[in-house]
Amino acid sequence: MGSLSKTVQELALQGEEVPENFLYKDGHGGSADVPVMDVPVVDIGLLGTSAEELEKLKSALSTFGCFQGINHGMSLEYLNQVREITKQFFHLPLEEKQKYLREENDIEGYGNDMVLSDQQKIDWNDRLYLVIYPEDQRKLKLWPENPKLFRSTIHEYSVKIQSISEVILKAMARSLKLEENCFVEQCGKRSKLYGRFNFYPRCPRPGLSLGIKPHADGTAITLLLQDETVEGLQFLINHQWFRAPIIPEALLINVGDQVEILSNGAFKSPLHKVLTNSERERISLAVFYTPDSDKEIGPFEELMDESRPRLYRTVKNYVNIYFQYYQLGRRPMEASKIQD
Ligand code: OGA
Ligand code: NI
């Protein structure tokens, strides 16, 4: 795995020049002029008691593969603090950020798009990628000491996101009439949370470049804290792109490939991408709830019968499969999908 010699942030400072390997010549850079996604807003606090809210969750995950989660127990003020330290980190001088540089053959650390092949288009995005939970899996040497509140804030955030994830995974199971712990148990006691702090500098060539190319997440579920004012994320629903709206106090929660497999396709892992913006920079924090790499992930028996045949093969260490396929420009899900 290689990496670029320059961060996107440095390239952005050079002015109009955008290197060729960022540019999509075929009109695939995307357009901001698409309809807004009518994505359901789910009150997470009601999922334990309201059958109606549970049905809303189920319907959102089977049609959109995502929902806006509110009433998750974190205040807007606290979420803004998390956003603020993310911004502060990327605004530090380059030499400071480079203390946490991703090393060759590692995915954790500060850096930009991994260059896996010569033909690959590169994303207009710098990121800091860290295991944030459980505590004993953290590589603290890659955790910024600056801004001063980074470590304590992200520690607290990771504990909260872990517990919110479990609430959601349990509700998802109940909504499918499954035993409530089945998703959590399949992910295993050694499931991890990865935090991907994203920074999208202003880009002089919007429409010709992408912040993140179209992909589905390789996770069980992803919990995204979007920028509080700058849009950019889009989802592909029934072959059409839609803008993800911003609700500042919400987490945008989406299904990843491994829950699509476990649910035998009842829940969809949606394709999504991020546009670039010439006017304003954007940040986000995606947290990836990732099953233990030793666990076998295949559809639950209860979700397969004559009318619902098995749609996916069982996979193990999906994150590895994910990168192999991604490198070839293929959708990682192909490794599991049984072709009809
Ligand atoms: C991701 C992702 C979306 C965003 O990091 O996988 O899809 O809005 N991020 O930054
Ligand atoms: Ni994603």
Side-chain angles (χ1 to χ4, degrees):
M1 270 177 234
S3 58
L4 288 172
S5 50
K6 273 189 182 160
T7 61
V8 171
Q9 202 170 5
E10 285 173 281
L11 289 173
L13 291 173
Q14 289 179 351
E16 295 305 305
E17 294 272 316
V18 172
E20 283 289 310
N21 45 5
F22 284 86
L23 300 176
Y24 293 78
K25 297 272 163 60
D26 49 7
H28 285 102
S31 162
D33 190 17
V34 299
V36 67
M37 180 168 65
D38 190 15
V39 55
V41 179
V42 173
D43 185 323
I44 296 174
L46 288 180
L47 285 173
T49 50
S50 161
E52 199 183 320
E53 213 61 20
L54 202 61
E55 189 52 40
K56 204 199 271 182
L57 174 77
K58 181 182 168 190
S59 141
L61 295 183
S62 41
T63 45
F64 297 93
C66 64
F67 66 96
Q68 302 267 19
I70 56 162
N71 195 15
H72 40 57
M74 295 187 286
S75 68
L76 176 58
E77 190 182 24
Y78 176 68
L79 294 180
N80 282 340
Q81 214 175 306
V82 175
R83 291 175 168 119
E84 197 50 40
I85 59 153
T86 304
K87 273 179 211 163
Q88 283 170 3
F89 172 75
F90 286 105
H91 284 146
L92 292 172
L94 189 62
E95 307 78 69
E96 180 68 22
K97 288 177 295 213
Q98 279 174 338
K99 290 182 189 165
Y100 311 102
L101 215 51
R102 179 179 74 220
E103 283 175 19
E104 196 91 16
N105 295 321
D106 196 357
I107 56 169
E108 283 186 70
Y110 168 69
N112 42 25
D113 204 5
M114 279 187 271
V115 181
L116 301 164
S117 85
D118 291 344
Q119 287 99 48
Q120 176 191 332
K121 293 292 174 209
I122 301 172
D123 293 340
W124 188 262
N125 162 282
D126 292 332
R127 83 289 302 259
L128 172 67
Y129 202 62
L130 299 171
V131 172
I132 58 172
Y133 193 94
E135 210 169 335
D136 64 5
Q137 296 294 312
R138 294 177 186 160
K139 287 189 186 155
L140 264 196
K141 68 173 196 330
L142 295 174
W143 282 53
E145 291 184 89
N146 234 329
K148 287 280 174 285
L149 287 178
F150 185 94
R151 291 184 174 195
S152 57
T153 308
I154 298 307
H155 167 71
E156 191 186 343
Y157 191 68
S158 74
V159 172
K160 289 188 167 141
I161 292 287
Q162 174 71 19
S163 90
I164 295 165
S165 301
E166 288 177 12
V167 168
I168 289 161
L169 288 165
K170 286 180 189 176
M172 283 165 45
R174 289 199 311 277
S175 82
L176 293 173
K177 311 251 180 308
L178 300 171
E179 197 283 307
E180 84 163 354
N181 290 312
C182 66
F183 282 113
V184 174
E185 275 169 14
Q186 263 315 298
C187 293
K189 288 205 173 60
R190 289 164 53 213
S191 64
K192 282 184 205 164
L193 297 181
Y194 287 87
R196 179 171 158 163
F197 301 78
N198 288 305
F199 181 65
Y200 306 93
R202 293 193 303 154
C203 178
R205 309 295 292 277
L208 287 177
S209 57
L210 282 171
I212 302 187
K213 59 181 81 59
H215 69 284
D217 295 340
T219 53
I221 55 172
T222 303
L223 301 95
L224 179 76
L225 181 65
Q226 291 202 76
D227 195 290
E228 72 272 46
T229 52
V230 185
E231 277 189 13
L233 177 59
Q234 297 189 350
F235 284 84
L236 189 69
I237 314 287
N238 292 331
H239 313 289
Q240 209 199 326
W241 288 103
F242 289 88
R243 285 152 47 212
I246 294 171
I247 301 180
E249 69 275 21
L251 294 170
L252 181 52
I253 299 169
N254 71 267
V255 167
D257 290 350
Q258 300 196 60
V259 157
E260 181 170 324
I261 295 170
L262 287 168
S263 71
N264 199 31
F267 294 151
K268 301 282 184 293
S269 171
L271 273 181
H272 51 284
K273 66 181 179 186
V274 178
L275 301 197
T276 49
N277 186 321
S278 60
E279 309 280 309
R280 303 185 64 191
E281 64 186 37
R282 178 175 185 270
I283 55 105
S284 71
L285 170 53
V287 177
F288 302 124
Y289 187 105
T290 309
D292 179 350
S293 56
D294 287 336
K295 284 277 187 185
E296 307 241 332
I297 302 290
F300 290 123
E301 289 297 334
E302 297 86 331
L303 299 177
M304 295 186 282
D305 55 32
E306 299 244 305
S307 62
R308 292 175 300 177
R310 172 191 268 270
L311 296 178
Y312 305 87
R313 276 183 283 274
T314 298
V315 293
K316 207 170 129 177
N317 199 353
Y318 189 72
V319 173
N320 248 3
I321 298 173
Y322 191 92
F323 282 112
Q324 284 169 24
Y325 272 71
Y326 198 74
Q327 179 169 24
L328 300 169
R330 290 167 64 185
R331 181 137 192 223
M333 200 56 150
E334 284 175 36
S336 175
K337 226 171 202 154
I338 296 169
Q339 301 300 329
D340 47 13

